[in-house]
């Protein structure tokens, strides 16, 4: 895929912070590298790399971990991230469930906790519940606030990044402009980074998941709705309003239902959990044969999304029909994304495909093999997220790591 060629550094003094981030990014991704290798991959001079590494070691962020032989030269000292040099906290706000996690500097979860989202969806109550979760995971992990770099909050979009506001997300239409970033900062006493939950999950994949070292990939997050994240040229692509990659709002069929976004036949409106359950109930009501039939006749509400996915995983024909149709819709959008931005990897994740991940992956692999415009030039890989149900909350924590340690071209240009 994208190999280990990372952002190229520059030797101009005015971008010293960017160079530091380039070096740190190399060390974090390589799982053991040397000063010489960093210089070769980044274009920075050996002197610049050595100076940056020395400061990172002095700060405790990087450690030396023995030496390994090199061809024709003296052994090279191995550099690694000191995972215990700090902690980050992740929060995921979903209309159904709140989650929090503490991670080390490699993005590895130490302690996680979940609880139902307060039923009233009052912003103050939601914020208090999230602050309580943060207290809980920090206490269980034995982490003091002085060790925490910050809180990364993954929330449903759209989000006004400049103001830190959540603006009328799905199922929360009365949250017109909620200053959630400041509210959580006030409640926790910690600095907060806010981003769309799907973008956060994509950053989590880049930091600690299937997207490590991949230059260009698209992430499909299937949860209560369908979101997405894009990494292009090793940079998170956010777009002009910072709300790029809303893959769920790609129209798949003109005859589909009207979506809350204003389009008709959006992917999200067709394959969100409620839509799939409605599709299954329609088939069962029409007399479709299924292992779910008895449960449906006894109490239709028991045939929910989880039951549908478990039945599909067991090979039930009716459930497979519903899930298979949803997978084909998603595959169509995946082909469109690949044709437009030419990524080399598609990652699928989120709790919405729990138990039925293979159906979605196989549909996307098949569609890309048959319909991607560049399929005769290279094969696009399709991966299931190793972060699983924790993708968004771990992604929230890695928002902090990413903003603190990863090279940001936007900040370089602004400088």
């Amino acid at each position: 895929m994208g190999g280990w060629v990372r952002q190229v550094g520059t030797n101009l003094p005015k971008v010293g912070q960017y160079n530091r981030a380039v070096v740190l990014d190399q060390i974090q991704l390589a799982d053991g590298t040397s000063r010489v290798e960093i210089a070769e991959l980044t274009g920075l001079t050996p002197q610049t790399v050595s100076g940056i590494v020395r400061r990172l070691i002095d700060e405790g962020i990087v450690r030396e971990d023995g030496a390994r032989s090199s061809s024709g030269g003296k052994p090279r000292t191995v550099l690694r991230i000191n995972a215990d040099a700090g902690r980050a906290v992740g929060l995921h706000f979903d209309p159904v469930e709140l989650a929090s996690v503490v991670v080390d500097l490699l993005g590895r979860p130490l302690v996680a906790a979940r609880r139902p989202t307060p039923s009233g969806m009052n912003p103050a109550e939601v914020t208090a519940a999230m602050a309580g979760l943060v207290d809980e995971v920090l206490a269980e992990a034995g982490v003091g606030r002085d060790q925490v770099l910050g809180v990364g909050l993954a929330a449903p979009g759209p989000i006004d990044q400049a103001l830190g506001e959540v603006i009328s997300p799905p199922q929360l239409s009365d949250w017109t402009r909620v200053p959630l970033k400041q509210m959580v900062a006030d409640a926790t006493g910690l600095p907060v980074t806010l981003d769309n939950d799907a973008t956060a999950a994509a950053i989590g994949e880049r930091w600690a998941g299937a997207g490590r070292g991949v230059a260009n990939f698209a992430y499909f997050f299937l949860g209560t709705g369908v979101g997405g994240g894009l990494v292009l040229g090793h940079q998170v692509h956010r777009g002009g309003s910072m709300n790029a990659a809303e893959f769920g709002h790609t129209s798949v069929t003109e005859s589909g239902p009207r979506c809350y976004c204003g389009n008709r036949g959006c992917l999200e409106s067709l394959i969100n959990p409620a839509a799939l359950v409605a599709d299954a109930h329609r088939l069962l009501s029409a007399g479709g044969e299924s292992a779910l039939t008895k449960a449906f006749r006894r109490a239709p509400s028991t045939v929910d999304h989880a039951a549908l996915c478990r039945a599909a995983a067991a090979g039930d024909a009716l459930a497979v029909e519903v899930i298979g149709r949803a997978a084909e819709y998603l595959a169509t959008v995946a082909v469109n994304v690949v044709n437009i931005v030419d990524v080399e990897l598609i990652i699928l994740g989120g709790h919405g495909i729990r138990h039925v991940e293979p159906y979605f992956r196989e549909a996307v692999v098949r569609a890309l093999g048959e319909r991607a415009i560049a399929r005769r030039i290279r094969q696009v890989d399709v991966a299931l997220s190793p972060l699983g149900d924790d993708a968004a909350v771990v992604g929230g924590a890695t928002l902090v790591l990413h903003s603190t340690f990863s090279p940001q071209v936007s900040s370089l240009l602004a400088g």
Side-chain angles (χ1 to χ4, degrees):
M1 290 185 287
W4 293 104
V5 178
R6 303 297 300 156
Q7 289 90 347
V8 174
T10 172
N11 296 299
L12 297 175
K14 68 177 183 178
V15 287
Q17 280 298 110
Y18 180 79
N19 288 343
R20 167 191 159 99
V22 167
V23 171
L24 196 55
D25 206 41
Q26 277 292 332
I27 297 170
Q28 188 266 330
L29 285 167
D31 190 26
T33 188
S34 69
R35 293 166 176 83
V36 172
E37 290 167 316
I38 293 170
E40 291 172 348
L41 287 169
T42 63
L44 292 167
T45 66
Q47 294 86 348
T48 298
V49 171
S50 292
I52 292 171
V53 169
R54 183 174 60 253
R55 289 189 292 274
L56 290 171
I57 291 173
D58 289 344
E59 294 168 20
I61 297 172
V62 169
R63 61 185 176 88
E64 294 183 330
D65 188 25
R68 65 184 177 206
S69 60
S70 63
S71 57
K74 65 179 183 180
R76 296 175 178 177
T77 302
V78 176
L79 303 170
R80 299 185 191 278
I81 295 293
N82 178 12
D84 293 327
R87 300 288 187 251
V89 175
L91 273 173
H92 182 209
F93 165 41
D94 182 89
V96 174
E97 183 182 68
L98 303 178
S100 186
V101 67
V102 179
V103 305
D104 63 18
L105 290 195
L106 290 175
R108 298 178 302 198
L110 304 177
V111 170
R114 299 175 183 273
R115 67 175 58 161
T117 302
S119 57
M121 293 294 183
N122 178 281
E125 293 178 1
V126 171
T127 300
M130 287 194 286
L133 265 183
V134 171
D135 289 341
E136 181 181 328
V137 294
L138 288 177
E140 187 174 345
V143 173
R145 276 174 158 71
D146 59 332
Q147 298 173 268
V148 179
L149 296 171
V151 174
L153 172 57
I159 290 170
D160 187 327
Q161 285 283 0
L163 299 176
E165 295 178 339
V166 173
I167 302 173
S168 302
Q171 303 184 34
L172 297 168
S173 57
D174 56 337
W175 284 44
T176 308
R177 275 193 173 271
V178 176
L180 197 59
K181 178 178 179 178
Q182 189 60 52
M183 291 174 69
V184 173
D186 292 341
T188 61
L190 294 166
V192 173
T193 303
L194 171 67
D195 216 325
N196 179 287
D197 51 8
T199 299
I203 291 172
E205 294 295 336
R206 179 194 179 278
W207 195 272
R212 282 176 58 89
V214 182
N216 307 286
F217 70 86
Y219 177 85
F220 282 76
F221 179 75
L222 292 94
T224 305
V226 179
L230 267 178
V231 171
L232 302 176
H234 295 294
Q235 296 289 309
V236 178
H237 179 75
R238 300 179 183 278
S241 72
M242 308 290 280
N243 287 283
E246 285 286 357
F247 302 145
H249 297 287
T250 299
S251 294
V252 179
T253 171
E254 292 182 1
S255 60
R258 183 166 294 281
C259 180
Y260 65 86
C261 75
N263 286 331
R264 184 176 291 280
C266 283
L267 177 66
E268 179 174 306
S269 67
L270 294 168
I271 74 167
N272 72 73
L276 297 186
V277 169
D279 195 14
H281 284 199
R282 176 182 59 81
L283 293 174
L284 289 166
S285 296
E289 289 298 320
S290 171
L292 298 169
T293 299
K294 288 185 179 178
F296 180 73
R297 288 174 178 168
R298 185 171 59 252
S301 63
T302 61
V303 181
D304 57 11
H305 185 250
L308 175 65
C309 290
R310 286 194 298 267
D316 179 76
L318 185 145
V320 168
E321 178 184 347
V322 173
I323 297 299
R325 185 160 43 242
E328 291 300 328
Y329 283 139
L330 183 136
T332 293
V333 174
V335 169
N336 290 340
V337 170
V338 168
N339 284 345
I340 292 168
V341 291
D342 197 23
V343 294
E344 59 217 71
L345 171 68
I346 296 286
I347 304 174
L348 307 177
H351 58 82
I353 55 173
R354 187 186 303 152
H355 305 306
V356 291
E357 299 94 336
Y359 290 104
F360 283 87
R361 183 182 181 277
E362 289 163 13
V364 174
V365 169
R366 185 169 57 252
L368 291 173
E370 296 171 353
R371 292 148 52 191
I373 193 70
R375 62 186 180 277
R376 294 181 178 86
I377 300 172
R378 67 112 180 262
Q379 180 179 348
V380 177
D381 290 324
V382 182
L384 297 173
S385 168
L387 302 178
D389 292 353
D390 294 328
V393 68
V394 171
T398 59
L399 284 174
V400 177
L401 305 180
H402 180 74
S403 62
T404 304
F405 298 126
S406 293
Q408 312 289 327
V409 168
S410 57
S411 64
L412 175 65
L413 296 176

